[in-house]
Amino acid sequence: MKRYVFKGKLILCKSLHIGSGEYSIRTDAAVVRRRDGSFYIPGTTVGGVFRSVVESLAHYIEGLSTCAFGKSCFDQKKKPGEECSTCALFGFGSNASKITVEDSALLNGITDIEDIEDIEEVRDGVGIHRKAEASREKVKFDYEIIPAGSQFGFEISVENLTSQDKWLVALGLNEFASGFCSLGGRTTTGLGNFKLDLEEAYEIDLNNLETLVQLLKTNTPDSAWERTPHDLINGWYKDLNIDVDKIRERKEQWKIPNFCSIKLKLSIAEALLVKSGDPSLPGPEEYDARFVSTTRIREDGSHEEVQFLPGSSLKGIFRSRCEKIIRTLGVMACDPQEDSDGEVISCAKQFKDLEKELEKERGVKLQPDKIYKDSCLVCKLFGSSYM
Ligand SMILES: [Zn+2]
Ligand SMILES: [Zn+2]
């Protein structure tokens, strides 16, 4: 039996917000703080993201299968040997996983404090005043930031792999390296996006008694077992058959939303101020408002303070413009801030009232597909606090 160990770094593509209390639930669930104040991402979280990435790929590759998008192998009461490819690798029921994922510790200690409005509302583009198209004055919350460029450790070990298992692991590692994976699962917001930089790989022959004894004694891989990660993965890909026609065919039924990334430059036509609530930011004393800034970590590990336009502010303005245009076209678009009666009363408020009634009368909750179906066009695209 052979064990393979892969080590590297997870590099954050965007800053992560670490809050406290109820406002942090959605944003920072991925990152946990130890008693001593240091941060880490639990191995179960990284492993969960790895599994979901692998499952979405296994779905349309010749020779691989996954139950992730239908009735699970466990629910189908499958016996060992009958399970799908991803259950064979990650385990199901009482069958153990062949993958162990270590906790990912934050390698650099820098965190920053930033004032952010209610994250959930800001992220959906709701926290923009519709008439002034500026951020509403509201209670600000302190958020700790783990800056973009921050690095977390990464280590997985896999053992007793079939060639199918090897394909899955290789696909997952390559997808992690692509930078399109996110700690928040499959989000399109870019929140929690990271990139894997694979640095070391080891091939450990556990059938070799000397190797086994050495490993048991030292618990660290010997340099003699080291392989180039890239070569190892490419070797595993050898017999993998990616059938393009099949991918085309299956794409129709693919359950994962497609992804599009557009990069553009904004030119500022007039003076612009995106105010930071932090008075301790650098700048001349006499200014009572400062531009928002954040800490970024350069590739060489040093850090710098940079000014930026928060994506949440841009999204809010984008959303409010969309609302206006849609209404001009005679299509209904709610005002997410309107919670009294009226034509543009927010979808969220309507669902809240409806759900209250439903719960009182029949003790049931609103179903997500019903909420999506009955939301206005703009909420369907940008989200609301009920989605
Ligand atoms: Zn399965
Ligand atoms: Zn709406």
Side-chain angles (χ1 to χ4, degrees):
M1 187 170 72
K2 276 186 177 165
R3 176 184 297 170
Y4 298 90
V5 179
F6 291 91
K7 292 186 187 189
K9 285 178 188 144
L10 297 178
I11 303 165
L12 285 186
C13 304
K14 299 237 168 126
S15 304
L16 267 188
H17 296 107
I18 308 297
S20 53
E22 57 178 311
Y23 288 95
S24 61
I25 291 168
R26 254 172 66 169
T27 10
D28 72 337
V31 181
V32 179
R33 189 200 292 259
R34 284 205 183 89
R35 278 223 170 139
D36 64 5
S38 62
F39 294 100
Y40 73 100
I41 307 165
T44 46
T45 303
V46 179
V49 176
F50 194 79
R51 181 174 189 153
S52 89
V53 162
V54 166
E55 282 171 344
S56 64
L57 293 166
H59 188 56
Y60 56 171
I61 286 175
E62 179 90 57
L64 295 175
S65 59
T66 181
C67 63
F69 305 105
K71 201 172 177 188
S72 72
C73 292
F74 184 73
D75 286 341
Q76 293 178 61
K77 299 201 169 59
K78 291 211 170 160
K79 293 190 189 81
E82 296 171 356
E83 73 274 43
C84 70
S85 319
T86 52
C87 282
L89 175 63
F90 294 102
F92 79 109
S94 58
N95 271 46
S97 172
K98 296 177 182 176
I99 288 199
T100 314
V101 184
E102 302 297 326
D103 290 344
S104 286
L106 181 63
L107 301 177
N108 51 290
I110 303 154
T111 57
D112 202 1
I113 307 280
E114 201 175 282
D115 282 330
I116 303 233
E117 294 172 45
D118 175 345
I119 284 267
E120 205 156 304
E121 219 176 77
V122 168
R123 192 168 347 128
D124 295 336
V126 171
I128 292 284
H129 196 284
R130 286 301 177 273
K131 291 197 181 78
E133 289 197 339
S135 291
R136 289 190 298 168
E137 291 293 333
K138 50 158 42 184
V139 191
K140 301 248 184 184
F141 299 93
D142 277 349
Y143 277 87
E144 250 179 313
I145 303 287
I146 298 181
S150 293
Q151 299 179 338
F152 289 86
F154 174 83
E155 182 176 334
I156 65 168
S157 354
V158 286
E159 56 185 42
N160 207 9
L161 300 183
T162 63
S163 59
Q164 284 191 355
D165 295 331
K166 287 179 178 174
W167 293 346
L168 292 172
V169 174
L171 287 165
L173 289 174
N174 271 354
E175 198 64 7
F176 262 33
S178 74
F180 282 118
C181 299
S182 160
L183 288 172
R186 305 176 190 110
T187 66
T188 52
T189 53
L191 203 86
N193 266 48
F194 64 84
K195 194 174 154 55
L196 169 65
D197 191 2
L198 264 188
E199 293 169 324
E200 297 165 39
Y202 298 90
E203 182 175 25
I204 308 167
D205 185 1
L206 299 178
N207 288 333
N208 181 326
L209 217 57
E210 280 168 31
T211 304
L212 184 63
V213 169
Q214 188 185 340
L215 187 69
L216 289 173
K217 272 188 186 159
T218 62
N219 203 24
T220 40
D222 191 291
S223 60
W225 313 331
E226 193 160 0
R227 304 282 176 273
T228 316
H230 192 71
D231 292 348
L232 196 56
I233 290 174
N234 280 349
W236 288 2
Y237 267 135
K238 224 172 34 203
D239 325 304
L240 181 68
N241 184 7
I242 300 181
D243 184 337
V244 181
D245 287 334
K246 195 154 190 182
I247 292 177
R248 257 189 224 118
E249 199 179 293
R250 288 233 186 151
K251 213 159 190 178
E252 306 286 314
Q253 350 155 344
W254 205 22
K255 310 289 194 301
I256 296 151
N258 45 37
F259 177 85
C260 169
S261 164
I262 303 172
K263 288 190 179 170
L264 7 102
K265 273 185 189 151
L266 289 178
S267 303
I268 314 250
E270 285 175 59
L272 174 79
L273 174 66
V274 180
K275 218 162 94 180
S276 163
D278 184 358
S280 69
L281 285 175
E285 283 277 319
E286 62 272 24
Y287 296 169
D288 56 7
R290 301 180 195 291
F291 206 91
V292 280
S293 67
T294 188
T295 311
R296 264 177 217 272
I297 299 190
R298 297 197 199 96
E299 263 179 26
D300 63 7
S302 60
H303 50 100
E304 60 181 340
E305 197 67 14
V306 290
Q307 292 173 332
F308 72 108
L309 289 175
S312 50
S313 306
L314 290 173
K315 185 177 177 186
I317 292 170
F318 198 75
R319 177 181 184 142
S320 94
R321 280 279 146 161
C322 287
E323 288 167 15
K324 271 189 192 166
I325 294 167
I326 290 248
R327 282 188 208 116
T328 314
L329 295 171
V331 179
M332 151 71 187
C334 78
D335 178 345
Q337 287 166 27
E338 184 61 61
D339 51 13
S340 52
D341 287 329
E343 226 175 90
V344 288
I345 182 168
S346 76
C347 295
K349 170 71 173 149
Q350 289 183 54
F351 293 133
K352 201 174 167 189
D353 293 346
L354 189 62
E355 187 154 78
K356 231 186 251 165
E357 246 173 67
L358 268 178
E359 275 197 300
K360 209 164 65 190
E361 282 173 18
R362 288 187 267 157
V364 288
K365 282 193 174 287
L366 274 176
Q367 292 302 308
D369 51 341
K370 159 106 179 132
I371 294 173
Y372 180 80
K373 206 172 123 256
D374 292 348
S375 289
C376 74
L377 270 188
V378 181
C379 283
K380 274 182 181 159
L381 179 62
F382 290 88
S384 71
S385 50
Y386 243 79
M387 272 201 263

